[in-house]
Amino acid sequence: MSNAIHIDHPLIRHKLTIMRDKNTPPFLFRALLREISFLMGYEVTRDLKTIDVEIETPVAKTVKPKLSGRKMCIHSILRAGNGLMEGLLDLIPTAKVGHVGLYRDHEDLHAVEYYFKVPGNLDERFNLVVDPMLATGNSANAALDRIKQAGAKNITFMCLLAAPEGIEALEKAHPDVQIYTAAIDEKLNEKSYIVPGLGDAGDRIYGTI
Ligand code: URA
């Protein structure tokens, strides 16, 4: 039984269907991805801690909540992760950003790292790792391994589409990491693409098809 949280909302369903359509151009695909990242970000950040601070409105002094603690860190798994990360950064402009560059080896599909840059004090932050597609789980697991090596403890993974195989692999390797997804698709095909999916998310975002 999976603990993945499926954020199911009519607006997300509608936008996702347009994104899946192969005739949707990159500019619209990017805009929809950004909008969905706002909708998902609202839910994913629900448990962020706040602290009461004293402020003065034009009318009176008052004590109201603000986000507390170290700034959260959004970790983008390159390159498609940037599509989600940029929207989330609009929502939480004070967040720090980490980048994990991974590509899939064409022979055995394992994740090969080519770039890794993250902020300090990850152990004191809420770490949100983003990649639109959770397919085999290889990239996500490799990124999570590296982020944990760098000190992260409180980690959540957010994707747009997940294959059941990817959810299973991630939950097995990282049972402490909560998964949020906007949809759970049927399966992977022989090339490890999500079915029905939306194709290669990086290509759809950047028009490199
Ligand atoms: N990565 C993608 O971009 N698409 C898939 O379907 C699977 C992995």
Side-chain angles (χ1 to χ4, degrees):
M1 178 66 183
S2 162
N3 285 324
I5 296 176
H6 175 194
I7 304 179
D8 188 26
H9 188 285
L11 288 176
I12 295 181
R13 273 185 250 146
H14 173 81
K15 291 173 195 296
L16 203 43
T17 299
I18 301 171
M19 292 179 76
R20 289 180 189 274
D21 187 333
K22 67 177 186 182
N23 295 314
T24 298
F27 77 87
L28 182 53
F29 190 95
R30 281 196 300 274
L32 292 163
L33 186 58
R34 196 179 200 85
E35 290 167 17
I36 293 180
S37 70
F38 291 166
L39 296 166
M40 293 186 78
Y42 178 79
E43 199 55 40
V44 168
T45 55
R46 186 173 285 283
D47 292 331
L48 284 181
K49 300 273 177 294
T50 58
I51 186 168
D52 285 342
V53 294
E54 197 178 296
I55 56 153
E56 200 169 346
T57 76
V59 180
K61 280 193 175 168
T62 184
V63 174
K64 293 291 170 198
K66 279 183 115 177
L67 290 175
S68 74
R70 287 249 185 227
K71 309 292 181 224
M72 71 179 271
C73 183
I74 305 164
H75 299 268
S76 168
I77 302 182
L78 298 175
R79 65 183 161 149
N82 280 1
L84 282 174
M85 179 270 288
E86 283 169 14
L88 288 167
L89 210 46
D90 280 352
L91 195 65
I92 315 144
T94 55
K96 304 275 176 145
V97 177
H99 289 94
V100 187
L102 298 167
Y103 66 85
R104 288 208 282 184
D105 181 272
H106 284 300
E107 299 283 303
D108 65 3
L109 299 178
H110 82 283
V112 184
E113 182 182 309
Y114 64 88
Y115 188 73
F116 186 77
K117 186 86 181 171
V118 295
N121 306 103
L122 290 188
D123 56 326
E124 296 169 31
R125 301 182 193 278
F126 170 53
N127 295 276
L128 181 57
V129 181
V130 297
D131 189 345
M133 311 298 272
L134 178 57
T136 60
N138 289 346
S139 301
N141 282 342
L144 290 166
D145 286 343
R146 282 296 274 121
I147 289 161
K148 283 183 178 175
Q149 264 175 30
K153 292 190 172 68
N154 178 9
I155 310 174
T156 290
F157 182 85
M158 176 177 132
C159 61
L160 193 63
L161 298 188
E165 296 90 329
I167 293 176
E168 195 183 332
L170 194 153
E171 287 186 336
K172 191 164 173 222
H174 298 281
D176 54 314
V177 174
Q178 178 66 61
I179 301 171
Y180 284 81
T181 182
I184 302 175
D185 275 14
E186 280 165 37
K187 59 177 181 181
L188 297 178
N189 69 11
E190 61 295 343
K191 290 186 174 158
S192 293
Y193 276 88
I194 297 178
V195 181
L198 49 73
D200 184 295
D203 284 345
R204 298 292 309 274
I205 295 170
Y206 297 112
T208 47
I209 302 164

